[in-house]
Amino acid sequence: MSLIQNLVPSFTRSPARRPDGSAPSHEPTSKPHHEVRETDEAWGLQVYLPGVAKEGLEFTAEEGLITIRGRRGWKTPAGWTALYRESADAPYELVLQHDNTIDVEKIHAELKDGVLRVSLPKAETAKPRKITVN
Protein backbone atom coordinates (compact mmCIF):
# COMPACT_ATOMS: atom_id res chain seq x y z
CA MET A 1 0.00 0.00 0.00
CA SER A 2 1.40 3.40 -0.94
CA LEU A 3 1.84 6.30 1.45
CA ILE A 4 -1.02 8.27 -0.16
CA GLN A 5 -3.37 5.29 0.29
CA ASN A 6 -2.45 5.13 3.98
CA LEU A 7 -3.09 8.84 4.46
CA VAL A 8 -6.27 9.03 2.37
CA PRO A 9 -7.90 5.59 2.23
CA SER A 10 -10.84 6.83 0.13
CA PHE A 11 -8.59 6.71 -2.95
CA THR A 12 -8.71 2.91 -2.82
CA ARG A 13 -12.47 2.69 -2.53
CA SER A 14 -14.62 2.21 -5.58
CA PRO A 15 -17.30 4.85 -6.16
CA ALA A 16 -20.74 4.11 -4.73
CA ARG A 17 -23.46 2.89 -7.07
CA ARG A 18 -26.42 5.12 -7.83
CA PRO A 19 -29.84 4.27 -6.38
CA ASP A 20 -31.00 2.91 -9.76
CA GLY A 21 -28.10 0.41 -9.74
CA SER A 22 -26.07 2.11 -12.46
CA ALA A 23 -22.46 3.02 -11.96
CA PRO A 24 -21.84 6.69 -11.22
CA SER A 25 -20.28 8.83 -13.90
CA HIS A 26 -16.90 10.31 -13.18
CA GLU A 27 -18.00 13.63 -14.62
CA PRO A 28 -17.88 16.43 -12.05
CA THR A 29 -21.28 17.79 -11.06
CA SER A 30 -22.49 20.91 -9.32
CA LYS A 31 -25.01 20.85 -6.47
CA PRO A 32 -27.74 23.40 -7.24
CA HIS A 33 -29.08 25.85 -4.69
CA HIS A 34 -32.38 24.58 -3.28
CA GLU A 35 -34.97 25.36 -0.62
CA VAL A 36 -37.33 23.01 1.23
CA ARG A 37 -40.46 24.20 3.02
CA GLU A 38 -43.00 22.19 4.98
CA THR A 39 -46.75 22.56 5.49
CA ASP A 40 -49.24 20.20 7.11
CA GLU A 41 -50.12 18.73 3.70
CA ALA A 42 -46.84 18.63 1.77
CA TRP A 43 -43.22 19.62 1.41
CA GLY A 44 -42.32 22.21 -1.18
CA LEU A 45 -38.99 21.97 -2.97
CA GLN A 46 -37.57 24.76 -5.08
CA VAL A 47 -34.38 24.04 -7.05
CA TYR A 48 -32.50 26.69 -9.05
CA LEU A 49 -31.22 25.23 -12.34
CA PRO A 50 -30.16 28.14 -14.60
CA GLY A 51 -29.82 27.17 -18.24
CA VAL A 52 -31.62 23.82 -17.89
CA ALA A 53 -34.59 23.06 -20.17
CA LYS A 54 -37.15 20.27 -19.74
CA GLU A 55 -35.22 18.11 -22.22
CA GLY A 56 -32.10 18.29 -20.04
CA LEU A 57 -33.87 17.49 -16.77
CA GLU A 58 -34.12 14.08 -15.11
CA PHE A 59 -36.21 13.77 -11.94
CA THR A 60 -36.64 10.45 -10.14
CA ALA A 61 -38.37 9.61 -6.88
CA GLU A 62 -37.84 6.19 -5.45
CA GLU A 63 -37.91 4.65 -2.03
CA GLY A 64 -36.06 6.98 0.28
CA LEU A 65 -34.42 9.16 -2.41
CA ILE A 66 -35.27 12.06 -4.68
CA THR A 67 -32.72 12.61 -7.45
CA ILE A 68 -32.61 15.64 -9.75
CA ARG A 69 -30.11 15.85 -12.60
CA GLY A 70 -29.96 18.76 -15.00
CA ARG A 71 -27.80 19.47 -18.01
CA ARG A 72 -27.55 22.92 -19.55
CA GLY A 73 -28.48 23.20 -23.21
CA TRP A 74 -26.20 26.14 -24.04
CA LYS A 75 -23.02 25.38 -25.97
CA THR A 76 -20.01 27.64 -26.36
CA PRO A 77 -20.01 29.34 -29.78
CA ALA A 78 -17.04 28.67 -32.06
CA GLY A 79 -14.26 31.21 -31.64
CA TRP A 80 -15.73 32.50 -28.38
CA THR A 81 -13.45 33.07 -25.39
CA ALA A 82 -14.84 33.55 -21.90
CA LEU A 83 -13.25 36.37 -19.94
CA TYR A 84 -15.13 35.55 -16.75
CA ARG A 85 -17.61 32.85 -15.65
CA GLU A 86 -19.57 32.83 -12.44
CA SER A 87 -20.44 29.15 -12.62
CA ALA A 88 -18.89 25.99 -13.98
CA ASP A 89 -20.37 24.30 -17.02
CA ALA A 90 -20.81 21.06 -15.07
CA PRO A 91 -24.23 19.38 -14.95
CA TYR A 92 -26.33 19.74 -11.81
CA GLU A 93 -27.03 16.85 -9.46
CA LEU A 94 -29.08 16.95 -6.26
CA VAL A 95 -29.88 13.85 -4.20
CA LEU A 96 -32.18 14.23 -1.19
CA GLN A 97 -33.06 11.49 1.26
CA HIS A 98 -36.48 11.22 2.88
CA ASP A 99 -38.12 8.88 5.37
CA ASN A 100 -40.77 7.43 2.99
CA THR A 101 -43.51 9.75 4.22
CA ILE A 102 -43.97 11.16 0.69
CA ASP A 103 -46.83 10.01 -1.52
CA VAL A 104 -44.74 9.36 -4.65
CA GLU A 105 -47.83 8.90 -6.86
CA LYS A 106 -48.99 12.50 -6.23
CA ILE A 107 -45.70 14.39 -6.78
CA HIS A 108 -46.09 17.41 -9.05
CA ALA A 109 -43.13 19.21 -10.66
CA GLU A 110 -42.91 22.31 -12.87
CA LEU A 111 -39.84 23.86 -14.51
CA LYS A 112 -40.09 27.51 -15.52
CA ASP A 113 -37.28 29.98 -16.23
CA GLY A 114 -34.63 27.71 -14.69
CA VAL A 115 -36.53 27.18 -11.43
CA LEU A 116 -37.91 23.73 -10.64
CA ARG A 117 -40.85 23.79 -8.23
CA VAL A 118 -41.84 20.44 -6.77
CA SER A 119 -44.77 19.58 -4.53
CA LEU A 120 -44.10 16.50 -2.42
CA PRO A 121 -47.41 15.54 -0.77
CA LYS A 122 -47.21 13.78 2.56
CA ALA A 123 -48.54 10.26 2.83
CA GLU A 124 -51.76 9.97 4.83
CA THR A 125 -49.92 8.27 7.70
CA ALA A 126 -47.61 11.27 8.10
CA LYS A 127 -50.29 13.99 8.18
CA PRO A 128 -51.33 15.38 11.55
CA ARG A 129 -54.77 14.33 12.74
CA LYS A 130 -57.14 15.77 15.28
CA ILE A 131 -58.53 13.01 17.44
CA THR A 132 -61.75 13.47 19.33
CA VAL A 133 -61.89 12.03 22.79
CA ASN A 134 -65.21 10.71 24.13
Side-chain angles (χ1 to χ4, degrees), residues 22-67:
S22 65
S25 69
H26 295 287
E27 179 181 33
T29 59
S30 176
K31 182 177 178 182
H33 178 72
H34 65 282
E35 299 171 5
V36 179
R37 299 216 166 112
E38 181 181 8
T39 66
D40 289 342
E41 297 295 317
W43 283 277
L45 173 63
Q46 192 163 321
V47 184
Y48 300 94
L49 302 164
V52 176
K54 288 181 185 180
E55 299 79 33
L57 184 65
E58 179 185 334
F59 178 18
T60 58
E62 47 191 311
E63 194 166 317
L65 287 177
I66 294 173
T67 305

Side-chain angles (χ1 to χ4, degrees), residues 33-110:
H33 178 72
H34 65 282
E35 299 171 5
V36 179
R37 299 216 166 112
E38 181 181 8
T39 66
D40 289 342
E41 297 295 317
W43 283 277
L45 173 63
Q46 192 163 321
V47 184
Y48 300 94
L49 302 164
V52 176
K54 288 181 185 180
E55 299 79 33
L57 184 65
E58 179 185 334
F59 178 18
T60 58
E62 47 191 311
E63 194 166 317
L65 287 177
I66 294 173
T67 305
I68 298 169
R69 291 186 187 97
R71 188 169 292 282
R72 297 177 190 169
W74 186 79
K75 299 295 179 200
T76 306
W80 185 77
T81 303
L83 298 177
Y84 176 76
R85 282 199 73 146
E86 287 191 15
S87 62
D89 202 20
Y92 296 107
E93 183 173 49
L94 177 65
V95 179
L96 301 174
Q97 292 182 342
H98 62 84
D99 56 359
N100 289 326
T101 57
I102 294 174
D103 190 350
V104 179
E105 300 298 320
K106 296 181 181 176
I107 292 176
H108 174 73
E110 178 184 12

Side-chain angles (χ1 to χ4, degrees), residues 8-20:
V8 187
S10 63
F11 280 137
T12 61
R13 295 184 189 143
S14 61
R17 299 193 76 72
R18 289 191 172 161
D20 61 3

